[in-house]
Amino acid sequence: MTSAPPPALPYALIATDLDGTLLQAGDTVSARSYEALATARAAGAQHIIVTGRPVPQVRHVLDRLGYTGLAVCGQGAQVYDAARGRLLRSVSMDRELAEVALGKIEAEVGEVYAAVNQEGLDAEMLIGPGYRMWHPHLPTVRVPRRCDLWSAPINKVLLQHPELDDDELTLVARSVVGHLVNVTMAGEHTVELQPPGIDKASGLARAADVLGVCPSRTIAFGDMPNDIPMFAWAAHGVAMANAHRELVAVADELTLSNEDDGIAVVLERLFG
C-alpha cells in the first residue's frame, strides 16, 4: 500500500515586522508566538524578520529569540546574517541629499526635528535638537546641532514636526521630496527618509533570493504603511488589528493585535 504524500507546506517563508507586529510591550515575544514560529520552522518554513530598526537596535531582540537566520533591517537598507554577526548588504544614504530633502520639507512646513541612524553594526542613533525619542529603552546620542547629524555615514533620517501629525507630515514630505528619497511612515511619531529605491520589499527580495524562496511562497505580517511594499511583494499579507488604515486597505487578511498574539493565531491555523 502506497503511503499518501506529505501535505504541501502552506508557505515556505514567514516574514514578520517587529514593532506592533511580533513584539509585545518591552520588546518581548510571547511564548505563544515563539511556539507558533517554532512549529512552522519544524514543518519546513523559514522565518525572516523585516524591520525598520537598524541592526544595532534589533540585535538584543534577535539574541532573546535565539534567532540565527537573516534579518532585513534599517527599512530594507540592511540584510544581516544573525548567525555570523555580519552584514550581507548595507546601503548608505547620501548625507548631502538628506540635507537637501530636509531643507525642501522645511521650506514647505517650517522647522522639523530630525534624527539619523548611522551606518554599521555598532553605529549609533543621533538625536537632533527638538527630536523626541519615543522608545527610551533604545540607545541614542543627543547632539547639540543639526549639522552634527552628518558626522558619519547614515542609512536613514527620522522626522518629527511640532504640529503636523504623522499622516500630514508624510503626505507633505512625499509631495515635496518623494522624487528624491523614499518617504515612509514606520510607526507612531516615526516618519522616515531612506535612499531612493530602498524599502522593505527591496530588502526582503534580496534576502529571499539568498534563501532560495520566491514571493509566491511567502506570507508577511505587519502593522504600518512601511509594510505596504512587503505586502505587495509577498503572496499573502496579514495586517494586525492595531494596523494603520493604509495597510489594512491592502491586506489580504486581518488578524488580532500584537498584544493578542495575532501572528500565532494565523500560524496555528496554517501549520497546526
Side-chain angles (χ1 to χ4, degrees), residues 17-19 50-58 72-78 90-95 97-99 101-102 113-120 123-128 131 133 135 138 146 148-159 181-187 189-196 198-200 226:
D17 173 46
L18 284 181
D19 296 288
V50 186
T51 177
R53 296 192 197 188
V55 172
Q57 293 185 348
V58 79
V72 176
C73 304
Q75 219 64 265
Q78 300 172 320
S90 191
V91 179
S92 61
M93 185 172 191
D94 184 284
R95 284 169 279 177
L97 177 61
E99 277 198 287
L102 284 180
Y113 307 140
V116 300
N117 287 136
Q118 292 184 321
E119 178 72 5
E124 296 175 316
M125 181 177 183
L126 303 185
I127 305 293
Y131 190 93
M133 183 59 180
H135 300 283
L138 296 178
R146 167 79 63 84
D148 296 326
L149 297 176
W150 323 120
S151 60
I154 63 172
N155 58 47
K156 65 177 175 177
V157 179
L158 302 90
L159 304 179
V181 296
N182 183 43
V183 181
T184 189
M185 187 198 306
H189 312 294
T190 312
V191 177
E192 300 183 356
L193 310 180
Q194 288 91 39
I198 295 298
D199 57 27
K200 285 193 173 185
N226 63 326

Side-chain angles (χ1 to χ4, degrees), residues 13-17 46-50 67 70-72 204 207-208 211:
L13 185 62
I14 302 162
T16 64
D17 173 46
Q46 298 185 76
H47 173 219
I48 186 167
I49 286 171
V50 186
Y67 187 90
L70 299 184
V72 176
L204 178 56
L211 298 174

Side-chain angles (χ1 to χ4, degrees), residues 16-18 20-24 28-29 33 37 47 65 258 263:
T16 64
D17 173 46
L18 284 181
T21 303
L22 179 61
L23 294 183
Q24 296 183 345
T28 59
V29 176
S33 291
L37 286 166
H47 173 219
L65 276 171
N258 59 318
I263 287 179

Side-chain angles (χ1 to χ4, degrees), residues 26-272:
D27 274 7
T28 59
V29 176
S30 74
R32 183 179 177 185
S33 291
Y34 186 90
E35 288 301 322
L37 286 166
T39 298
R41 289 195 302 270
Q46 298 185 76
H47 173 219
I48 186 167
I49 286 171
V50 186
T51 177
R53 296 192 197 188
V55 172
Q57 293 185 348
V58 79
R59 276 186 299 195
H60 66 288
V61 176
L62 304 183
D63 290 343
R64 252 185 241 159
L65 276 171
Y67 187 90
T68 56
L70 299 184
V72 176
C73 304
Q75 219 64 265
Q78 300 172 320
V79 177
Y80 175 64
D81 183 337
R84 300 178 183 177
R86 67 185 182 94
L87 286 167
L88 302 184
R89 182 190 190 223
S90 191
V91 179
S92 61
M93 185 172 191
D94 184 284
R95 284 169 279 177
E96 290 186 10
L97 177 61
E99 277 198 287
V100 168
L102 284 180
K104 288 181 176 293
I105 294 169
E106 289 185 319
E108 193 73 19
V109 298
E111 183 182 17
V112 296
Y113 307 140
V116 300
N117 287 136
Q118 292 184 321
E119 178 72 5
L121 285 176
D122 298 304
E124 296 175 316
M125 181 177 183
L126 303 185
I127 305 293
Y131 190 93
R132 183 176 177 185
M133 183 59 180
W134 292 86
H135 300 283
H137 59 285
L138 296 178
T140 60
V141 176
R142 188 163 292 279
V143 296
R145 301 169 300 171
R146 167 79 63 84
C147 62
D148 296 326
L149 297 176
W150 323 120
S151 60
I154 63 172
N155 58 47
K156 65 177 175 177
V157 179
L158 302 90
L159 304 179
Q160 294 172 357
H161 191 274
E163 297 174 3
L164 299 180
D165 65 24
D166 302 326
D167 292 299
E168 293 168 331
L169 181 56
T170 301
L171 185 63
V172 170
R174 280 182 182 155
S175 69
V176 175
V177 298
H179 61 295
L180 297 175
V181 296
N182 183 43
V183 181
T184 189
M185 187 198 306
E188 191 176 8
H189 312 294
T190 312
V191 177
E192 300 183 356
L193 310 180
Q194 288 91 39
I198 295 298
D199 57 27
K200 285 193 173 185
S202 67
L204 178 56
R206 185 170 291 264
D209 187 58
V210 173
L211 298 174
V213 182
C214 61
S216 64
R217 305 293 315 283
T218 302
I219 183 171
F221 294 84
D223 73 308
M224 291 301 291
N226 63 326
D227 294 311
I228 290 175
M230 179 168 70
F231 276 26
W233 184 88
H236 193 76
V238 183
M240 315 305 289
N242 48 289
H244 190 280
R245 64 182 182 278
E246 290 182 14
L247 187 69
V248 172
V250 300
D252 299 297
E253 182 178 348
L254 188 66
T255 188
L256 299 182
S257 73
N258 59 318
E259 295 295 341
D260 292 323
D261 293 312
I263 287 179
V265 169
V266 175
L267 295 184
E268 288 164 359
R269 184 191 77 222
L270 293 173
F271 293 92

